[in-house]
Amino acid sequence: VEEGLLDNKDGRYHFSHDRIQEAAYNMLAILDQGRFHFSYGMALAPLAYAAGKGDDSILLTAANQLNLAGPEAVQDKSQNATVANLNLQAGKKAMEMSDFVLAYSYFDNGISFLRKKHWEEHYKLSLELFDLAARCALTNGDIVSLKLLSEQVIAYGRSYEDKLNILYLVTCSLAFSSKLPESIEKGLDILANLGIDLQESRSTEVCVQETTTLLSTRTDDEILNTRQMTDPTMIMAMKFLTKLEFGMTQTKPRSVPFVTQKMIELSLAKGMSPMSPIGFVYLGSFMSKRGDIISGYRYVKLALSLLDKVGRESAGEVICIATQVKIFVEPIQAALEHHNDGYAASMVTGDVFNALLNTILKNACKYVAGVKLQTMREEHDKFERLAKENN
């Protein structure tokens, strides 16, 4: 204190300057630095769990300190799983904040703390870390890391159901890498393994008639109050069907009604999943393209209402399609707020593609609605920055 290196404030000592603290830290040997970070992080770990959901700062600080120490600082092998799990929780928290780069770093660090036989000794922890790291890698456009992570899950997953999430992410990566035919083929193979057949031998007209007949027996309220889907395998199947809807729209448009029908059938028979609104909005779009705007409008409104029932995971894509029907019935200005909602929902889930698509469609609506060009220019600049940031 007399030399000015420390300050005494209310009986507590602080370094008088950040540079002095940094110099003192650098005087420690590298191994001592690691042990210091590790002991500090482990001391905070119980507090991080005790803090609950109200205070995330302790959780993130504990994880950061442990990651600065690295796996080589572990002295008791039982601590490896503890640190890996702490990183898992920190990564989930980062995902809730829509920071998928930070989330990936936590999951990656968590994986680095796992011991050699982690697939045997800590299977559930390993599977969740690899699955979530792969999801973040896809969102961040890191296809190389996604490939490496998926290979591990495919090799060590104990059941086909345990591999479904990683297989879905691989299917998505193929679609985003301009390999739509390959993505569609893979999706169809996986659905076949789950016992789901699109039965494309029928005509499109028969398929559409069967779908509308099925829905004609239920009121909108009955559809909206359908029970929630609980079967994890069927929930994943709905995700694969959603990806097929998108891919086939661009490469095999004749097949889209068959995917739509299967999604609606499963939703009514097995319960509504977070992907169910996709089936209804595609049906509404298809009916509108055939000239039946009234029916199309009904189904897209159902899709939008379902988002409030099953969650907003698919909101970005649903809104992109729904507004293209609604503008034929409602003032085009009404679509603007929908696209703002679609952009926000997409960014929360890391769906950059539909975030960008909502921005493009919103700008198109603004132009037709007569919004000032200078305002549109600002929106375009925002879109361009987002597109560049996400390759």
Side-chain angles (χ1 to χ4, degrees):
V1 174
E2 292 179 357
E3 295 179 3
L5 301 178
L6 297 174
D7 291 331
N8 186 346
K9 295 181 180 179
D10 300 324
R12 303 180 65 180
Y13 292 94
H14 305 266
F15 285 100
S16 58
H17 196 279
D18 291 344
R19 290 295 180 86
I20 297 174
Q21 180 179 355
E22 182 180 351
Y25 176 80
N26 289 334
M27 291 174 68
L28 293 171
I30 297 297
L31 291 177
D32 290 336
Q33 291 177 5
R35 283 191 286 267
F36 174 79
H37 287 301
F38 192 79
S39 62
Y40 183 34
M42 290 302 292
L44 287 174
L47 300 176
Y49 290 117
K53 295 184 178 181
D55 184 4
D56 304 321
S57 60
I58 298 177
L59 169 64
L60 300 181
T61 300
N64 291 338
Q65 288 297 313
L66 293 166
N67 294 338
L68 282 171
E72 59 276 4
V74 176
Q75 296 177 338
D76 182 347
K77 65 179 183 180
S78 66
Q79 294 173 326
N80 288 83
T82 300
V83 179
N85 186 63
L86 199 70
N87 272 291
L88 175 64
Q89 304 311 317
K92 288 180 178 179
K93 185 55 59 179
M95 289 180 70
E96 290 177 13
M97 298 185 292
S98 301
D99 191 338
F100 293 91
V101 174
L102 179 62
Y104 177 81
S105 72
Y106 283 124
F107 297 136
D108 188 46
N109 275 297
I111 290 171
S112 73
F113 275 93
L114 294 172
R115 296 176 65 82
K116 286 185 178 180
K117 294 184 179 180
H118 62 90
W119 285 108
E120 292 83 8
E121 297 173 355
H122 301 285
Y123 179 75
K124 290 185 177 180
L125 173 61
S126 300
L127 184 63
E128 193 168 10
L129 276 169
F130 276 78
D131 274 354
L132 291 176
R135 179 184 169 187
C136 291
L138 177 64
T139 300
N140 299 333
D142 186 356
I143 304 303
V144 174
S145 294
L146 171 60
K147 183 176 184 297
L148 294 173
L149 292 162
S150 63
E151 288 172 350
Q152 287 282 300
V153 176
I154 291 170
Y156 295 104
R158 293 178 181 174
S159 68
Y160 192 70
E161 287 73 20
D162 284 350
K163 302 175 186 180
L164 283 176
N165 189 59
I166 208 76
L167 291 172
Y168 171 72
L169 296 174
V170 170
T171 303
C172 291
S173 72
L174 290 172
F176 295 152
S177 302
S178 302
K179 297 178 181 178
L180 274 177
E182 191 176 341
S183 173
I184 291 170
E185 183 179 355
K186 192 172 188 67
L188 289 171
D189 288 343
I190 292 167
L191 287 169
N193 289 334
L194 298 177
I196 295 175
D197 181 9
L198 298 184
Q199 300 176 334
E200 293 187 66
S201 58
R202 301 162 294 158
S203 70
T204 302
E205 291 297 325
V206 170
C207 174
V208 174
Q209 184 60 48
E210 289 175 350
T211 306
T212 54
T213 300
L214 175 65
L215 290 170
S216 67
T217 63
R218 293 170 169 82
T219 66
D220 289 0
D221 284 341
E222 288 173 335
I223 293 172
L224 290 172
N225 290 311
T226 302
R227 63 187 176 88
Q228 297 284 309
M229 186 178 288
T230 56
D231 184 343
T233 302
M234 287 298 101
I235 291 173
M236 286 305 304
M238 290 290 286
K239 286 191 172 186
F240 283 102
L241 288 166
T242 294
K243 191 52 60 179
L244 284 180
E245 289 268 36
F246 169 77
M248 287 181 169
T249 298
Q250 301 179 60
T251 60
K252 299 174 64 179
R254 180 196 168 278
S255 299
V256 172
F258 297 95
V259 182
T260 299
Q261 181 188 41
K262 186 59 64 176
M263 292 191 75
I264 291 174
E265 285 179 348
L266 288 175
S267 296
L268 296 178
K270 304 290 185 180
M272 293 291 175
S273 87
M275 297 296 113
S276 293
I278 294 287
F280 286 91
V281 82
Y282 269 94
L283 178 61
S285 176
F286 184 80
M287 298 298 289
S288 299
K289 289 174 184 176
R290 297 178 68 192
D292 188 354
I293 296 293
I294 294 176
S295 295
Y297 184 59
R298 175 201 172 194
Y299 293 128
V300 300
K301 285 200 302 180
L302 265 174
L304 291 169
S305 296
L306 275 171
L307 292 174
D308 296 326
K309 296 282 187 177
V310 300
R312 307 188 67 76
E313 184 177 346
S314 61
E317 185 172 353
V318 169
I319 289 170
C320 283
I321 300 168
T323 53
Q324 304 311 296
V325 176
K326 294 190 70 165
I327 58 176
F328 286 94
V329 182
E330 302 174 3
I332 196 169
Q333 290 85 351
L336 300 179
E337 195 57 41
H338 280 302
H339 285 306
N340 285 333
D341 185 19
Y343 172 85
S346 298
M347 292 302 291
V348 166
T349 58
D351 185 359
V352 178
F353 176 83
N354 278 302
L356 292 170
L357 187 55
N358 270 285
T359 303
I360 292 172
L361 293 174
K362 182 177 73 172
N363 285 341
C365 290
K366 280 187 172 184
Y367 180 77
V368 176
V371 173
K372 291 182 179 180
L373 293 179
Q374 179 58 37
T375 302
M376 290 191 59
R377 177 67 185 180
E378 294 170 0
E379 287 287 335
H380 175 76
D381 290 343
K382 177 183 175 182
F383 162 80
E384 192 173 21
R385 285 194 302 272
L386 182 61
K388 287 180 178 178
E389 288 171 1
N390 292 276
N391 301 314

